[in-house]
Every structure is written in structure tokens, then in C-alpha cells.
Amino acid sequence: MAAVSEADFLLASRGVAKELGAWVAGAVFDRAGRLAFALADGTLHRHAEEGDWPVAVAHEGGLLSACADAKDGWLSGGDDGRLVRVAPDGMVTQIADYRGKWVDHVAAHEAGVRAAAVGKAVHVLGVAGAALKSLAHPSSPGGICFDAKGKRVAVSHYNGASLWFVGAKEDKPRLLEWKGSHHAIAFSPDGTHVVTAMQEPSLHGWRLADGQHMRMSGYPTKTKSLAFTARGRWLATSGAESVVLWPFFGGGPMGKAPTELAGGDEVMCSAVACHPQHEVVAAGFGDGLVLITEVASGKVVPVAPPRGSAVSALAWDAAGARLAFGTEAGFAGFVDLSRR
Amino acid sequence: MADTDTTAQVPVTVLTGYLGAGKTTLLNRILSENHGRRFAVVINEFGELGVDNDLVVDADEEVFEMNNGCICCTVRGDLIRIIGGLMRRKGRFDGIIVETTGLADPAPVAQTFFVDEDVKRATRLDAIVTVVDAKHLPARLKDSSEAQEQIAFADIIVLNKMDLVAPAEADEVERMIKAINPYAEIRRSTKSDVPLDAVIGRDAFNLARILEREPEFLSGEDHHEHDSEVNSVSFEVSRPIDAERFNAWISRLLQEKGQDLLRTKGILHYAGDRRRFAFQAVHMIADGDYIGEAKEGDPRRSKIVFIGRDLNRPQLRRGFEACQVDA
Ligand SMILES: [Zn+2]
């Protein structure tokens, strides 16, 4: 991107960005498309068209994870042991207090279910805040995610992942085994595959129909961000000097080479986010560069110039019109791609 | 405008020691002393801390094997997770202290700081501090490999409960410690009353300081009765080292004997290079880099130290000597 001038980045013509002053743990659009940035200092900054962005103090300590809440607003977990909801108007409500334990990961689904990883357990809660169940794991979860319908929750941990039916009467997980420590986790949109990122820089996938293992390796660093494209044909991943995409069609990804896009700057990709409709992937890099790339053509559109700090959060809104990003140093913003 | 620098590494002190040796007393002392420094403290679930002004994280030790299938290649998964979380809010503390459970093998903790890329980038291992009970250590060394390992890994040993032993007993305990690890610095104490500077900010894993301490080797070390299976040996050679020969030898040695080699440290003078090469390993996991040039006129001798089990002294000596350039 060295030859691109500041004015060529979409941020200059179609974006807004601010210094928020702390590590951006999440750029999160709620179910109604409201944007907020969740910061590691425990605050949540809601984007406002005019004036200052209102700040809600969600946690007394650090905020570890944030997501869109089931219906509207945001959900966050912190090292103060609390699971918290921030309403669209900024009102903060404590949903649960797991004293002394970190709430490492949170997830929610519009079907009306929430999940929080605390210690070695994943607590499942309803929208009214009632604790529905507590799912036990052999080690602390490295990541959690719901399937597209909100019926199953997948939890990564040491030596594999556990797959739970949220509504099951008897809680017995399907154990997806693979030796090693598993972190970031993703469900394919059609619910047929689960993929995790591992401590040894590689990915592991399971085809749920027959338990077929899929190994995807060759990364120079750990993958921390992975996402399937809208119809699940590609898995986009961070961890290399380009956006690495694995084909989940035509017999892949086994035995197929991944496609690499937007490489060449010798800076590691640190975050990816897939467009909700098109085969278009947004990527953030270790120097703060944000770009959008089209899978079919490999064409790259620059979004935000590098400022020195790694992109730590990246998200599209549900319409695929806005792309929000944030960095470890607390620079956060979004671009609006809709026609004017 | 560029983002502010977020690259400074936070020092981490690892505190090990048997239950009842005085580890928690030392930790409380560090935290309650009026030194103006703030610490994030990772404790195990049985820890009891009387101080609440610092950031305390309660963690279960989760030891994970790495994917090479070797039982000594392990890391602390909980530490990777916790340090990842802490590092997002670096401004809150000046250092991290990790307390291990009494029976813990220190290797997974140490290896975490060599293996995990995020932990490596954000932190540096400052020192492993082992608190031992002067009265009960001899018995512990006889019946527990963990107690030996905690001594073997230590950079600083707090020889505690000095009020409970006679001077001759204390000397004997020191002799036993030095037989395992002559490179550790021993600080005698009562109720863990050592100065903060003795245990914090030691930079013991800095390659440039790796063999700074010249141990007082025990006379006749080869002949005395071994109190424990863990021992140390060191060798010095005077001709320059052939880098290729050394790399081939040490990688094979760590691969084959790494499970028994707890810590390895070396300072090497490569042929045709004025700089010194410093080297250290925990079991099979090695780290090395060039450090400054030797002082003008200093002898260009290379040295290597092994602390481990079943060390075959003649074989190791021959191996190291064969790494020299031909005479
Ligand atoms: Zn090993």
C-alpha cells in the first residue's frame, strides 16, 4: 500500500474515525445496526452522528469480549467477573456476576440466547437474564460461537472442541477431538463444519456429517480471526502476510492450496471480516492498514491507512454497507459504502 | 500522527516453592511494601493473599502439551490467556508475578515465555524465584523430583526459615542447593524478609547476562555423594567455536536428551566473529542471540552449563570440545 496516498483511502471520503484511548476489543453493530466500540478499559463508546460519542462504563476492570446482544444493544464480559448488557440508550445492566473469575468470551443469538465462557464453564442464559444451563469443559474455553440458527453452541478448548445443543434436555456434548490447544472458533453458515485456530499456527476443521478431519497449516503466526464468506464457500483467516482463504467447495479444503489475497507488504494480517452478502473480505493488518478485497478478482480497495498499531477489531453491519474497525492503540472508526 | 508505542515488554517474575516454605509470605511482602510499583499477580486457586490493592488473577494451572508429541514440551495455557487479557491494558501495572502451586514443575511456565509469540512480544521473563524451607528442604529433595526441579530452575533461591536451623545445618542445605544449581543466587531469610530488589527486576533471562554469575564451584564436586538426581556440569574451551558444528551438536543433544536437561546456558565465541553468542534452553526449547563484543584483552573462552538429570559428564565434555575449530 506504499504507493497509495492518504486521500485514496475510503476513510478520507466516506468515513469517520476517532482516538478512543484504549485497546479496541470489539467493533460491534447491534441487531438494529447501531455501532459501538468496546474497549479493553471497560468502556463502550456508541457512535453518534453528531457531537461526542456517548460512553458507557460496562466494567470496573478490563473488558475482555463483546458482541451484539440477542435483541438489541450489546453484551460484554470483563475481568471483573461480570456479564453486562448495554442498552441502545447506553444503560448498563448486570446480567450475571461470576465473582473472581474472568468472563473471557461472550456470544449471543437473535433466537434469544446468550453464552458466557467463565473459567472452564460456558453459561447459557436467556434474554430475560435467567441462567439456563452451565456446560462443563475439560479446560478453559478458547472461543465460543453459535451456529447460524442459534441451536448449537461450539466451544473450543484443549484437545478439541465441544458441540452442545442449547435446547437439549440432557447436556451431553459431541466431542470433536484433536490434540492441542484450540482458540478462535467458527461455524460454517450452513452448520456443516466447525473450524478452530490452534496454538501451533494452524487451523483444524471437522466435517460434522462424518467427523472428517481437515488440517490447514502453513501460517507464520497464530490465527486469531477467522470467518466464512456469506454462503460458506471460503474461510478467510488472519495470521499470514496476506489474507489466507481456504476453499470449502470442490472437495476442499483438503488437498487444495489456499488463495492468498492482499499480500506483499510483509505485515501480518491481524483481523478479517466477511461481507454478509458478497464474496468480499475486509482485512486489518499489524500496522493498522484496513482494506477490502474481492475474492474472485483479488481487487483491493484501501479503507484506512496504517498508523502503527495492529487492527484488533473489524466488523460489517448486517446490510454490508458499513465496515467498522479498531486498533490496539485505540483508533476506531468506520466507512460507509452505501450509494449517496 | 502515529499511534503511541505499545512495544515495551512487561517483566514477569515466577515464584515457586513448596507449600509452607514461605512463598505466600514473600508475595504478600512484595505487594505490601511501599515501593510505588504496581503488580498484576497470577495466583493458583489455593493461594491466600492479604492484599487487595493490586490486580490479582485467580487461575487454575492448565499445562498443555505442544503438538510435537513430546512430554517435556509444555506451556501454561492459562498464562497465555491471562497475559493476553492483561496486555490489553498495559498501563495498569509495572510487572507481573506468577505464583505456581507447591508441586508445580517450573518448566511449563518458563517455556511459555519462549514459545508463545504473543507472550514473547508483550512480556519478558525476569527471574524464577524459588522459596525453600531451610529446615525441611533436605527431606523434600530426597522424596520429590518437583523440589529438585524448583531448585534447578531457580535464578534466585530464598533460603527461608533460617531461625529454625543451626548455622551448620544452613551450610549443609546450601551445599545441597549448589550441588543441583551452583548458578542460583541464595538469599538467606527469616519470614521471607528479603529486599524487593533481590527478587524483582533481576533480568536473569536476559541473554546478555546469562552467565554473569560466576558460581563458587564446590571443591571435589565429582566425588561427593549426590543428594539428588539433578546436577549441574559446566565446561570451558579456549579455541573458537565452529558455529555449524555447535548447532548440529546442540540441536541433536536437546532433541535426544532434552527431557533430562532442565536448563542449558552458554556463551560462545564463534570463529571469525568478535561478538559473543549467548544461548539458553529450557528442556528442548532454545533461544540464542549475539550479545556485545568481549572486552579487549579478555580471553575468548567459550563456556556451557547444563543443569539436569543423568548428565554424562565425559560425553558432554567431548561433545562440546569437538565443537571447537580444528587446532
Ligand atoms: Zn520436549
Side-chain angles (χ1 to χ4, degrees), chain B residues 34-73:
Chain B
N34 189 17
H35 43 62
R37 276 181 271 181
R38 295 159 306 160
F39 295 103
V41 188
V42 182
I43 57 169
N44 61 72
E45 56 189 336
F46 303 107
E48 278 175 33
L49 274 191
V51 187
D52 58 13
N53 56 340
D54 289 81
L55 180 69
V56 178
V57 187
D58 200 348
D60 285 351
E61 290 177 349
E62 296 189 62
V63 176
F64 292 170
E65 281 176 28
M66 284 152 57
N67 257 0
N68 61 3
C70 173
I71 56 158
C72 79
C73 293

Short mmCIF file of all heavy atoms in Angstrom, two decimals, chain B residues 34-73:
data_model
loop_
_atom_site.label_atom_id
_atom_site.label_comp_id
_atom_site.label_asym_id
_atom_site.label_seq_id
_atom_site.Cartn_x
_atom_site.Cartn_y
_atom_site.Cartn_z
N ASN B 34 6.09 -0.57 50.51
CA ASN B 34 5.77 0.72 49.91
C ASN B 34 6.82 1.09 48.87
O ASN B 34 7.71 1.87 49.12
CB ASN B 34 5.69 1.78 51.02
CG ASN B 34 5.15 3.08 50.48
OD1 ASN B 34 4.56 3.12 49.40
ND2 ASN B 34 5.38 4.15 51.21
N HIS B 35 6.70 0.49 47.69
CA HIS B 35 7.72 0.70 46.67
C HIS B 35 7.20 1.48 45.47
O HIS B 35 7.93 1.76 44.55
CB HIS B 35 8.26 -0.66 46.20
CG HIS B 35 7.17 -1.67 46.00
ND1 HIS B 35 6.18 -1.50 45.07
CD2 HIS B 35 6.89 -2.83 46.64
CE1 HIS B 35 5.35 -2.53 45.14
NE2 HIS B 35 5.75 -3.35 46.08
N GLY B 36 5.90 1.77 45.47
CA GLY B 36 5.34 2.57 44.39
C GLY B 36 5.17 1.82 43.08
O GLY B 36 4.76 2.40 42.08
N ARG B 37 5.49 0.52 43.07
CA ARG B 37 5.30 -0.25 41.84
C ARG B 37 3.99 -1.04 41.93
O ARG B 37 3.61 -1.50 43.00
CB ARG B 37 6.47 -1.20 41.62
CG ARG B 37 7.63 -0.50 40.94
CD ARG B 37 8.77 -1.45 40.70
NE ARG B 37 9.68 -1.47 41.84
CZ ARG B 37 10.79 -2.21 41.88
NH1 ARG B 37 11.10 -2.97 40.85
NH2 ARG B 37 11.57 -2.18 42.93
N ARG B 38 3.34 -1.20 40.80
CA ARG B 38 2.09 -1.96 40.78
C ARG B 38 2.31 -3.28 40.05
O ARG B 38 2.97 -3.33 39.03
CB ARG B 38 1.00 -1.15 40.06
CG ARG B 38 0.59 0.13 40.76
CD ARG B 38 -0.05 1.07 39.77
NE ARG B 38 0.85 1.27 38.63
CZ ARG B 38 0.46 1.71 37.44
NH1 ARG B 38 -0.81 1.98 37.22
NH2 ARG B 38 1.33 1.86 36.45
N PHE B 39 1.72 -4.33 40.61
CA PHE B 39 1.89 -5.65 40.01
C PHE B 39 0.54 -6.28 39.68
O PHE B 39 -0.43 -6.08 40.39
CB PHE B 39 2.63 -6.59 40.97
CG PHE B 39 4.04 -6.16 41.24
CD1 PHE B 39 4.38 -5.53 42.41
CD2 PHE B 39 5.03 -6.38 40.28
CE1 PHE B 39 5.68 -5.13 42.65
CE2 PHE B 39 6.33 -5.98 40.51
CZ PHE B 39 6.66 -5.35 41.71
N ALA B 40 0.54 -7.02 38.59
CA ALA B 40 -0.57 -7.94 38.34
C ALA B 40 -0.08 -9.28 38.85
O ALA B 40 1.05 -9.69 38.57
CB ALA B 40 -0.89 -8.02 36.86
N VAL B 41 -0.89 -9.97 39.65
CA VAL B 41 -0.46 -11.19 40.29
C VAL B 41 -1.34 -12.34 39.84
O VAL B 41 -2.56 -12.28 39.95
CB VAL B 41 -0.54 -11.08 41.83
CG1 VAL B 41 0.09 -12.29 42.48
CG2 VAL B 41 0.13 -9.81 42.30
N VAL B 42 -0.72 -13.38 39.29
CA VAL B 42 -1.47 -14.57 38.90
C VAL B 42 -1.22 -15.62 39.97
O VAL B 42 -0.08 -16.06 40.16
CB VAL B 42 -1.01 -15.09 37.52
CG1 VAL B 42 -1.85 -16.30 37.11
CG2 VAL B 42 -1.10 -13.99 36.47
N ILE B 43 -2.28 -15.98 40.70
CA ILE B 43 -2.12 -16.95 41.77
C ILE B 43 -2.89 -18.21 41.45
O ILE B 43 -3.78 -18.21 40.61
CB ILE B 43 -2.61 -16.38 43.13
CG1 ILE B 43 -4.07 -15.94 43.02
CG2 ILE B 43 -1.74 -15.23 43.59
CD1 ILE B 43 -4.70 -15.63 44.35
N ASN B 44 -2.51 -19.31 42.10
CA ASN B 44 -3.28 -20.54 41.92
C ASN B 44 -4.42 -20.55 42.91
O ASN B 44 -4.48 -19.77 43.83
CB ASN B 44 -2.37 -21.75 42.08
CG ASN B 44 -1.77 -21.79 43.46
OD1 ASN B 44 -2.45 -22.08 44.43
ND2 ASN B 44 -0.50 -21.45 43.58
N GLU B 45 -5.32 -21.45 42.74
CA GLU B 45 -6.57 -21.38 43.49
C GLU B 45 -6.41 -21.55 45.00
O GLU B 45 -7.29 -21.18 45.75
CB GLU B 45 -7.56 -22.42 42.96
CG GLU B 45 -7.01 -23.83 42.97
CD GLU B 45 -7.91 -24.80 42.26
OE1 GLU B 45 -9.11 -24.53 42.16
OE2 GLU B 45 -7.40 -25.84 41.80
N PHE B 46 -5.27 -22.11 45.42
CA PHE B 46 -5.11 -22.31 46.85
C PHE B 46 -4.41 -21.14 47.53
O PHE B 46 -4.22 -21.12 48.72
CB PHE B 46 -4.31 -23.60 47.12
CG PHE B 46 -4.95 -24.79 46.50
CD1 PHE B 46 -4.40 -25.38 45.38
CD2 PHE B 46 -6.13 -25.29 47.01
CE1 PHE B 46 -5.00 -26.47 44.78
CE2 PHE B 46 -6.73 -26.39 46.43
CZ PHE B 46 -6.17 -26.98 45.31
N GLY B 47 -4.00 -20.17 46.74
CA GLY B 47 -3.28 -19.04 47.30
C GLY B 47 -4.16 -18.20 48.21
O GLY B 47 -5.36 -18.10 48.02
N GLU B 48 -3.54 -17.60 49.20
CA GLU B 48 -4.27 -16.68 50.07
C GLU B 48 -3.49 -15.40 50.12
O GLU B 48 -2.37 -15.36 50.58
CB GLU B 48 -4.38 -17.26 51.48
CG GLU B 48 -5.49 -18.26 51.62
CD GLU B 48 -5.47 -18.89 52.99
OE1 GLU B 48 -5.09 -18.20 53.95
OE2 GLU B 48 -5.82 -20.07 53.09
N LEU B 49 -4.10 -14.34 49.63
CA LEU B 49 -3.42 -13.07 49.60
C LEU B 49 -4.11 -12.09 50.52
O LEU B 49 -5.32 -11.99 50.54
CB LEU B 49 -3.42 -12.50 48.18
CG LEU B 49 -2.29 -12.96 47.28
CD1 LEU B 49 -2.27 -12.11 46.03
CD2 LEU B 49 -0.96 -12.86 47.99
N GLY B 50 -3.32 -11.36 51.28
CA GLY B 50 -3.90 -10.40 52.21
C GLY B 50 -3.96 -9.00 51.63
O GLY B 50 -4.33 -8.07 52.32
N VAL B 51 -3.60 -8.86 50.39
CA VAL B 51 -3.51 -7.52 49.81
C VAL B 51 -4.53 -7.41 48.68
O VAL B 51 -4.68 -8.31 47.88
CB VAL B 51 -2.09 -7.29 49.22
CG1 VAL B 51 -1.92 -5.87 48.77
CG2 VAL B 51 -1.05 -7.66 50.25
N ASP B 52 -5.23 -6.29 48.63
CA ASP B 52 -6.22 -6.21 47.57
C ASP B 52 -6.06 -4.98 46.68
O ASP B 52 -6.90 -4.71 45.84
CB ASP B 52 -7.64 -6.27 48.14
CG ASP B 52 -7.90 -5.16 49.14
OD1 ASP B 52 -7.08 -4.21 49.19
OD2 ASP B 52 -8.91 -5.23 49.84
N ASN B 53 -4.96 -4.27 46.85
CA ASN B 53 -4.82 -3.07 46.01
C ASN B 53 -4.17 -3.37 44.67
O ASN B 53 -4.19 -2.56 43.77
CB ASN B 53 -4.03 -1.98 46.75
CG ASN B 53 -2.68 -2.48 47.21
OD1 ASN B 53 -2.47 -3.68 47.31
ND2 ASN B 53 -1.77 -1.57 47.44
N ASP B 54 -3.60 -4.55 44.52
CA ASP B 54 -3.03 -4.89 43.23
C ASP B 54 -4.03 -5.74 42.45
O ASP B 54 -5.02 -6.20 42.98
CB ASP B 54 -1.72 -5.66 43.41
CG ASP B 54 -0.63 -4.76 43.93
OD1 ASP B 54 -0.61 -4.52 45.15
OD2 ASP B 54 0.18 -4.29 43.13
N LEU B 55 -3.71 -5.95 41.19
CA LEU B 55 -4.60 -6.71 40.34
C LEU B 55 -4.29 -8.20 40.52
O LEU B 55 -3.20 -8.65 40.19
CB LEU B 55 -4.35 -6.28 38.90
CG LEU B 55 -5.19 -6.97 37.85
CD1 LEU B 55 -6.64 -6.55 37.97
CD2 LEU B 55 -4.66 -6.61 36.48
N VAL B 56 -5.21 -8.93 41.10
CA VAL B 56 -4.98 -10.34 41.38
C VAL B 56 -5.85 -11.20 40.47
O VAL B 56 -7.06 -10.98 40.38
CB VAL B 56 -5.28 -10.66 42.85
CG1 VAL B 56 -5.07 -12.15 43.12
CG2 VAL B 56 -4.38 -9.83 43.76
N VAL B 57 -5.24 -12.13 39.78
CA VAL B 57 -5.97 -13.02 38.90
C VAL B 57 -5.86 -14.44 39.45
O VAL B 57 -4.76 -14.94 39.67
CB VAL B 57 -5.41 -13.00 37.46
CG1 VAL B 57 -6.30 -13.80 36.54
CG2 VAL B 57 -5.25 -11.58 36.97
N ASP B 58 -7.00 -15.05 39.68
CA ASP B 58 -7.03 -16.39 40.22
C ASP B 58 -7.11 -17.37 39.05
O ASP B 58 -8.02 -17.28 38.25
CB ASP B 58 -8.29 -16.52 41.09
CG ASP B 58 -8.18 -17.66 42.06
OD1 ASP B 58 -7.27 -18.48 41.90
OD2 ASP B 58 -9.03 -17.75 42.96
N ALA B 59 -6.13 -18.27 38.92
CA ALA B 59 -6.13 -19.14 37.75
C ALA B 59 -5.87 -20.59 38.14
O ALA B 59 -5.15 -20.86 39.09
CB ALA B 59 -5.05 -18.70 36.78
N ASP B 60 -6.45 -21.49 37.40
CA ASP B 60 -6.10 -22.89 37.51
C ASP B 60 -4.92 -23.13 36.58
O ASP B 60 -4.97 -22.71 35.42
CB ASP B 60 -7.26 -23.78 37.02
CG ASP B 60 -8.38 -23.84 38.04
OD1 ASP B 60 -8.18 -23.36 39.17
OD2 ASP B 60 -9.45 -24.37 37.69
N GLU B 61 -3.91 -23.82 37.06
CA GLU B 61 -2.79 -24.12 36.17
C GLU B 61 -3.25 -25.10 35.10
O GLU B 61 -3.70 -26.19 35.41
CB GLU B 61 -1.63 -24.71 36.98
CG GLU B 61 -0.99 -23.68 37.90
CD GLU B 61 0.13 -24.23 38.77
OE1 GLU B 61 0.29 -25.46 38.83
OE2 GLU B 61 0.83 -23.42 39.39
N GLU B 62 -3.15 -24.68 33.85
CA GLU B 62 -3.54 -25.57 32.75
C GLU B 62 -2.29 -25.82 31.90
O GLU B 62 -1.85 -24.95 31.16
CB GLU B 62 -4.64 -24.92 31.91
CG GLU B 62 -5.93 -24.71 32.70
CD GLU B 62 -7.08 -24.26 31.81
OE1 GLU B 62 -7.48 -25.02 30.91
OE2 GLU B 62 -7.60 -23.15 32.02
N VAL B 63 -1.70 -27.00 32.10
CA VAL B 63 -0.47 -27.33 31.38
C VAL B 63 -0.83 -28.05 30.08
O VAL B 63 -1.47 -29.09 30.10
CB VAL B 63 0.46 -28.20 32.25
CG1 VAL B 63 1.69 -28.62 31.46
CG2 VAL B 63 0.86 -27.42 33.50
N PHE B 64 -0.44 -27.46 28.98
CA PHE B 64 -0.77 -28.00 27.66
C PHE B 64 0.47 -28.54 26.98
O PHE B 64 1.50 -27.86 26.93
CB PHE B 64 -1.35 -26.91 26.76
CG PHE B 64 -2.70 -26.41 27.18
CD1 PHE B 64 -3.24 -25.28 26.57
CD2 PHE B 64 -3.43 -27.04 28.17
CE1 PHE B 64 -4.49 -24.80 26.95
CE2 PHE B 64 -4.68 -26.58 28.55
CZ PHE B 64 -5.21 -25.45 27.93
N GLU B 65 0.37 -29.73 26.44
CA GLU B 65 1.47 -30.25 25.61
C GLU B 65 1.44 -29.57 24.26
O GLU B 65 0.38 -29.28 23.72
CB GLU B 65 1.30 -31.76 25.42
CG GLU B 65 1.76 -32.56 26.61
CD GLU B 65 1.51 -34.05 26.43
OE1 GLU B 65 1.48 -34.52 25.28
OE2 GLU B 65 1.32 -34.73 27.45
N MET B 66 2.62 -29.36 23.72
CA MET B 66 2.67 -28.83 22.37
C MET B 66 2.52 -29.98 21.38
O MET B 66 2.61 -31.13 21.75
CB MET B 66 3.98 -28.09 22.16
CG MET B 66 3.95 -26.73 22.84
SD MET B 66 5.55 -26.17 23.35
CE MET B 66 6.40 -26.21 21.79
N ASN B 67 2.28 -29.63 20.12
CA ASN B 67 1.89 -30.67 19.19
C ASN B 67 3.01 -31.55 18.66
O ASN B 67 2.79 -32.33 17.75
CB ASN B 67 1.11 -30.07 18.03
CG ASN B 67 -0.37 -30.33 18.20
OD1 ASN B 67 -0.77 -30.96 19.19
ND2 ASN B 67 -1.19 -29.89 17.28
N ASN B 68 4.22 -31.46 19.23
CA ASN B 68 5.30 -32.32 18.73
C ASN B 68 5.29 -33.68 19.41
O ASN B 68 6.14 -34.52 19.15
CB ASN B 68 6.66 -31.64 18.92
CG ASN B 68 6.97 -31.36 20.39
OD1 ASN B 68 6.21 -31.71 21.27
ND2 ASN B 68 8.10 -30.75 20.62
N GLY B 69 4.32 -33.90 20.30
CA GLY B 69 4.18 -35.21 20.91
C GLY B 69 5.17 -35.50 22.03
O GLY B 69 5.24 -36.61 22.52
N CYS B 70 5.95 -34.50 22.43
CA CYS B 70 6.95 -34.71 23.47
C CYS B 70 6.41 -34.26 24.82
O CYS B 70 5.83 -33.19 24.93
CB CYS B 70 8.20 -33.92 23.11
SG CYS B 70 9.42 -33.96 24.43
N ILE B 71 6.64 -35.08 25.87
CA ILE B 71 6.04 -34.76 27.16
C ILE B 71 6.71 -33.59 27.88
O ILE B 71 6.13 -33.01 28.78
CB ILE B 71 6.00 -35.99 28.11
CG1 ILE B 71 7.41 -36.56 28.28
CG2 ILE B 71 5.04 -37.04 27.61
CD1 ILE B 71 7.54 -37.38 29.55
N CYS B 72 7.93 -33.22 27.49
CA CYS B 72 8.56 -32.09 28.18
C CYS B 72 8.24 -30.77 27.50
O CYS B 72 8.51 -29.71 28.05
CB CYS B 72 10.06 -32.29 28.33
SG CYS B 72 11.05 -31.93 26.88
N CYS B 73 7.68 -30.82 26.31
CA CYS B 73 7.38 -29.59 25.59
C CYS B 73 5.97 -29.13 25.93
O CYS B 73 5.00 -29.51 25.27
CB CYS B 73 7.56 -29.77 24.09
SG CYS B 73 9.29 -30.05 23.68
#
